[in-house]
Amino acid sequence: MFDKELDDVRAAESRAEEIVQKAGADAKEQVAAARTKAEQVIADAEARAGTIYDDLIRNGTEQAQKNYEASMKEAQAKCSAIAEAADRNSKEAVRLIKERIVNRKCQS
């Protein structure tokens, strides 16, 4: 009777050891699978981040170009207006300069 109980205990211990080993092996497999999945998630996130970065750079560059072109048009318009005003006033400026030169010569 004692031998039977001892055999049952040994069988239970053996079965418990098998369960512990299987649980350890399962845990290692789960950790490896989780690590693989995590690496894939990281790779996907990095790819999405790269795409977002590229889109932001492209959009920023396009906006900067539009701003540059608008500023250049505005500056060209101002320069044209100044040139036109100078052209309109050039005859008066020449007349004043001639008058001063003539007046200086006459006063000398």
Side-chain angles (χ1 to χ4, degrees), residues 12-59:
E13 286 177 345
S14 177
R15 179 71 182 129
E17 182 63 30
E18 289 174 8
I19 291 171
V20 167
Q21 288 177 357
K22 184 173 183 328
D26 289 347
K28 285 181 183 179
E29 287 177 13
Q30 289 176 355
V31 167
R35 202 171 261 133
T36 300
K37 185 174 182 176
E39 289 171 356
Q40 184 61 47
V41 168
I42 290 170
D44 292 345
E46 287 175 344
R48 282 193 310 272
T51 300
I52 291 169
Y53 173 81
D54 291 342
D55 287 345
L56 290 172
I57 292 296
R58 183 178 31 77
N59 291 340

Side-chain angles (χ1 to χ4, degrees), residues 3-16:
D3 289 337
K4 169 94 171 88
E5 290 174 354
L6 188 58
D7 287 340
D8 289 344
V9 168
R10 286 183 182 152
E13 286 177 345
S14 177
R15 179 71 182 129

Side-chain angles (χ1 to χ4, degrees), residues 82-103:
I82 291 170
E84 287 174 13
D87 190 44
R88 282 192 309 269
N89 296 328
S90 67
K91 289 182 183 178
E92 180 64 19
V94 168
R95 187 191 64 75
L96 288 172
I97 292 169
K98 283 181 182 178
E99 183 179 302
R100 288 185 183 170
I101 291 173
V102 169
N103 285 339

